[in-house]
Amino acid sequence: MNYTEIVSRQKKYFNSDSTKPITFRIKQLKVLKNALMSMETQLFKAIQQDFMKSEFETFVTELSIVYSEINENIKKLSRWSRQKRVKTNLINLPGKSYIIPEPLGATLIIGAWNYPYNLSLAPLIAAMGAGNTVILKPSEIPSRTSAVMAKLINEHFPSEYLFVVEGGVPETTALLAQQFDKIFFTGSTSVGKIVYEAAAKHLTPVTLELGGKSPAIITEKSAIDRSAQRLVWAKFLNAGQTCIAPDYILAHETIVEPFLESLKKHIVKNDYSFEQGNYVQIINEKNYERLEDLIDEKKLYYGGQKDKTSRYIAPTLLHDVDFNDEIMQEEIFGPLLPVITYSDINEVISEIKKRPKPLSCYIFGTDTRVKKELLHKLSFGGGAINDAIMHIANQHLPFGGVGSSGIGSYHGEAGFRTFSHYKSVLEKPLWFEPNLKYPPYNNSKLAWIKRMIS
């Protein structure tokens, strides 16, 4: 496949200004929505074949977010794209100043495997809403979802506007060698560095949605059972293969034992099984073996059952864990939940600060002072108080990381901004021109200028 030709055609199409009218953008978003609705059965079947994800979970965690993003863009694009008047400073009077949002151009979106529809199509919608052309490269790991997305896009849109490229590392490498106006990547920090390095050669702006070890802090004054209920759901959703899943728990020593028992109770209650459609497979054998090696039998509190043939690892609780254990050296990205006991909130803050900034952080408790202290002292991409993961479902909250967990954000208007350039314009009339800035320069002119900017 000639990627240079595809990118060239998309740039030519963008430069024809065809994608810029708001009416065009809204029309194309409606085409996408209708295509998704007509192909829902195929979408459900593909992801079920890839890693046993049920129709219910696929709709709730993937398609519902995609539909919400489309609806939000259709409803608010006119307002988001409107020219905005801003104040003009004294030295530029008479005149007026304004900001014009404009699309960046030809863009590349590289999706992730764990939520293949959500993490490919949500940024695609943001790019379409902002008026760009897009080459989408879904993850090749869930091969059937990649194929169905290629069919979805390539059969409903002209390739000079939207196009899906399937494939693995060679295809991604070839695409990254091209010059785009924007690259959006979702995936691991290690691959994110490769993408960032490739983009730097062309000075291409990049948004990186990465990951990290996201903590859940259970403070002394917590509602134990409700906190455990919400954390169990958030952690074992998608078998823990979620970038914003609570990666580990920090539980206060006074409540750790009843909290562990409550976690166990809710795991049992939720019946995490393929048969009931409540659970998914580990995505492939490589990730299965990696997770299997992280289970320390000496620290096993509950779970640990596994079956390599079906790539099944049961929801597993580990206790008496410390920060030196192997499981604490990397993002888990699976259904293993280590619990660390602490006695002083300051040691929690200190330990989290020693490590790369997490994508998410979850704080459970009713003590206002402690909540404020943690929010003030800890840096993280986004998160929740007394809940986990659900902040991603609010399109009014920008979603993204900080530091090693990512660069930039999207969802709702934040996505529109990510794929837009905000052009600043000063417009002045011709009927008046003060001579302060023109030679000859003298102390009197300088004094006036100083007065105007003071």
Side-chain angles (χ1 to χ4, degrees):
M1 187 176 291
N2 190 329
Y3 298 115
T4 302
E5 183 182 334
I6 294 171
V7 175
S8 177
R9 282 195 284 115
Q10 288 209 346
K11 287 186 175 182
K12 183 178 179 180
Y13 187 66
F14 175 78
N15 287 330
S16 72
D17 295 330
S18 298
T19 66
K20 291 184 177 179
I22 303 303
T23 52
F24 172 86
R25 304 184 205 181
I26 291 174
K27 180 181 177 181
Q28 299 308 312
L29 287 166
K30 288 179 177 178
V31 170
L32 178 59
K33 184 177 180 179
N34 290 333
L36 281 163
M37 294 174 72
S38 69
M39 290 182 64
E40 268 193 7
T41 301
Q42 296 175 59
L43 293 165
F44 290 140
K45 182 179 179 181
I47 201 167
Q48 199 277 336
Q49 290 176 330
D50 276 333
F51 56 112
M52 298 286 286
K53 195 164 185 174
S54 69
E55 183 175 322
F56 181 93
E57 196 164 322
T58 299
F59 189 86
V60 169
T61 65
E62 307 233 30
L63 296 186
S64 68
I65 293 173
V66 170
Y67 285 134
S68 292
E69 287 293 317
I70 293 175
N71 294 339
E72 182 82 353
N73 272 263
I74 290 172
K75 181 180 178 181
K76 296 182 179 177
L77 264 182
S78 294
R79 178 162 61 83
W80 294 345
S81 59
R82 195 175 299 153
Q83 178 177 302
K84 182 184 177 182
R85 185 80 175 263
V86 295
K87 188 176 180 180
T88 301
N89 60 343
L90 182 61
I91 206 166
N92 277 309
L93 292 176
K96 59 182 179 180
S97 304
Y98 45 91
I99 298 167
I100 306 172
E102 64 177 12
L104 290 169
T107 68
L108 171 64
I109 295 171
I110 304 173
W113 60 260
N114 54 323
Y115 291 90
Y117 301 140
N118 179 355
L119 299 180
S120 293
L121 298 179
L124 171 74
I125 291 158
M128 292 171 68
N132 302 278
T133 64
V134 184
I135 291 178
L136 171 62
K137 194 346 221 122
S139 172
E140 74 283 4
I141 295 174
S143 58
R144 294 173 184 85
T145 61
S146 176
V148 78
M149 279 190 282
K151 182 178 181 181
L152 172 78
I153 300 301
N154 295 347
E155 291 186 2
H156 289 89
F157 298 94
S159 60
E160 63 268 24
Y161 174 47
L162 305 179
F163 188 70
V164 172
V165 172
E166 290 194 87
V169 173
E171 289 76 14
T172 304
T173 302
L175 284 169
L176 288 172
Q178 306 302 312
Q179 184 167 4
F180 290 93
D181 298 300
K182 174 77 179 185
I183 297 176
F184 188 107
F185 169 79
T186 304
S188 68
T189 302
S190 58
V191 179
K193 291 177 181 178
I194 296 170
V195 172
Y196 206 14
E197 184 178 2
K201 294 176 183 177
H202 301 294
L203 295 179
T204 301
V206 180
T207 294
L208 300 176
E209 297 296 340
L210 308 175
K213 295 189 74 65
S214 299
I217 304 164
I218 316 302
T219 63
E220 190 173 4
K221 296 180 180 179
S222 295
I224 292 174
D225 195 63
R226 182 68 74 208
S227 300
Q229 179 188 29
R230 291 177 178 176
L231 274 169
V232 163
W233 178 84
K235 175 62 180 182
F236 301 113
L237 180 73
N238 211 43
Q241 299 167 118
T242 305
C243 60
I244 54 171
D247 194 85
Y248 63 100
I249 288 175
L250 291 153
H252 193 272
E253 61 185 3
T254 59
I255 51 93
V256 67
E257 289 302 328
F259 187 73
L260 280 163
E261 280 301 305
S262 193
L263 289 172
K264 176 182 173 181
K265 180 188 79 172
H266 285 289
I267 291 172
V268 173
K269 184 179 179 180
N270 288 352
D271 186 15
Y272 287 107
S273 63
F274 298 150
E275 293 75 20
Q276 298 302 317
N278 298 335
Y279 207 46
V280 305
Q281 292 175 311
I282 304 305
I283 188 65
N284 56 22
E285 194 170 297
K286 178 183 176 182
N287 276 280
Y288 175 91
E289 291 172 353
R290 177 184 63 81
L291 291 164
E292 187 178 38
D293 290 341
L294 290 177
I295 300 174
D296 184 346
E297 298 290 339
K298 296 190 295 294
K299 300 196 175 186
L300 184 62
Y301 183 85
Y302 178 75
Q305 299 87 357
K306 50 193 181 292
D307 178 66
K308 190 171 185 177
T309 304
S310 61
R311 303 198 308 273
Y312 170 81
I313 296 180
T316 299
L317 302 176
L318 300 161
H319 70 149
D320 296 332
V321 176
D322 64 50
F323 282 99
N324 296 316
D325 289 342
E326 184 182 358
I327 200 168
M328 293 304 297
Q329 306 313 307
E330 60 178 29
E331 184 178 5
I332 297 167
F333 224 72
L336 314 179
L337 183 56
V339 178
I340 298 174
T341 304
Y342 76 91
S343 58
D344 183 352
I345 198 67
N346 290 311
E347 71 180 82
V348 167
I349 294 168
S350 176
E351 288 293 347
I352 293 173
K353 280 188 170 185
K354 288 177 185 176
R355 289 158 178 81
K357 295 175 181 179
L359 180 56
S360 297
C361 180
Y362 306 113
I363 300 164
F364 288 81
T366 57
D367 188 318
T368 302
R369 182 190 62 80
V370 173
K371 287 186 291 185
K372 284 184 176 179
E373 183 177 14
L374 290 167
L375 288 174
H376 176 70
K377 293 184 177 180
L378 296 177
S379 180
F380 52 91
I385 295 174
N386 293 321
D387 206 349
I389 283 189
M390 289 303 295
H391 61 294
I392 198 173
N394 183 356
Q395 66 264 35
H396 305 293
L397 287 173
F399 176 75
V402 59
S404 296
S405 60
I407 299 170
S409 61
Y410 70 123
H411 285 184
E413 188 175 5
F416 178 88
R417 289 179 173 273
T418 286
F419 285 96
S420 298
H421 167 65
Y422 283 75
K423 185 164 53 182
S424 301
V425 178
L426 170 68
E427 182 177 343
K428 300 185 76 172
L430 297 172
W431 53 266
F432 176 73
E433 179 68 358
N435 67 356
L436 286 175
K437 68 182 181 184
Y438 297 106
Y441 302 136
N442 55 51
N443 290 335
S444 175
K445 288 182 178 180
L446 181 59
W448 274 106
I449 291 172
K450 285 182 175 180
R451 287 192 197 100
M452 294 174 75
I453 65 172
S454 61

